[in-house]
Amino acid sequence: MSPTLIATIGPAGAGKTTWRHRHAPPEATVISLDERRAALSPCGCSADPAANAAAVADGTAETRAVLAAGGTVVWDVTNYLPRFRAHLLNLAAEFDAVTAGLVVCPPLLTVLARNSRRDGRVCAVCGTARRVPDPVVWAMHTAITAALPSLHREGWHTLRFLALPPYLLHRHHRRTT
């Protein structure tokens, strides 16, 4: 069995974790930075910025171990910036792993509505909430939308577009034909 790294690419509220719960291979090791931050944070918050570096380091170390053993890893994170995706692609390259990018980017209003249903209470310890501020979600969505035409050049073996708004499908189709 070839080592495999699957990475979601989508803004907060896009449905990445829902996809993972429904479709990730059952034998896969899941790396969720939200879950790791919550486990590492003294207050248990999934958005605690003080726990982020440790969560990434922990997820990276576990990914190396799983890929070295020939396993499958699913990174359930936003990956909205090229440097985040490059980190995962470089990690996979260390083990000649097969890579799959799963783009989950529904219409912005859908994403904002889903995110608004998250808990907005701010933690007294770390100062964060589960709900991501709307301008941050908007910036994530914009960054992913802008990257769509060039994602295929980043080095993914496979790219799957699981949820794109019709206006992006039309625009992307016109650019590639």
Side-chain angles (χ1 to χ4, degrees):
M1 178 175 190
S2 295
T4 303
L5 187 140
I6 301 167
T8 58
I9 302 167
K16 300 173 304 295
T17 300
T18 299
W19 174 88
R20 182 246 295 184
H21 285 298
R22 292 180 183 163
H23 304 289
E27 75 281 358
T29 296
V30 174
I31 307 296
S32 164
L33 293 185
D34 284 349
E35 292 168 10
R36 287 176 191 259
R37 278 189 298 266
L40 295 167
S41 172
C43 55
C45 289
S46 64
D48 184 351
N52 197 58
V56 171
D58 185 55
T60 298
E62 187 168 359
T63 298
R64 280 194 171 100
V66 172
L67 293 179
T72 298
V73 179
V74 174
W75 273 73
D76 175 12
V77 297
T78 61
N79 283 311
Y80 72 98
L81 292 176
R83 65 185 165 96
F84 300 156
R85 298 187 299 270
H87 169 72
L88 295 180
L89 288 166
N90 291 334
L91 191 56
E94 292 177 30
F95 303 94
D96 292 322
V98 174
T99 58
L102 304 178
V103 180
V104 185
C105 195
L108 178 61
L109 293 178
T110 300
V111 171
L112 290 170
R114 289 177 184 165
N115 182 61
S116 73
R117 293 191 293 265
R118 293 178 171 177
D119 189 349
R121 291 174 293 167
V122 175
C123 174
V125 177
C126 72
T128 64
R130 176 77 179 112
R131 183 181 309 147
V132 179
D134 284 354
V136 174
V137 175
W138 192 306
M140 289 176 175
H141 196 279
T142 300
I144 293 164
T145 300
L148 288 175
S150 60
L151 280 177
H152 69 281
R153 290 192 296 270
E154 290 183 351
W156 300 98
H157 291 105
T158 303
L159 278 169
R160 290 187 54 211
F161 299 90
L162 304 179
L164 290 180
Y167 57 86
L168 287 180
L169 290 172
H170 178 69
R171 191 173 103 198
H172 184 65
H173 177 73
R174 289 183 63 197
R175 285 185 178 174
T176 59
T177 57

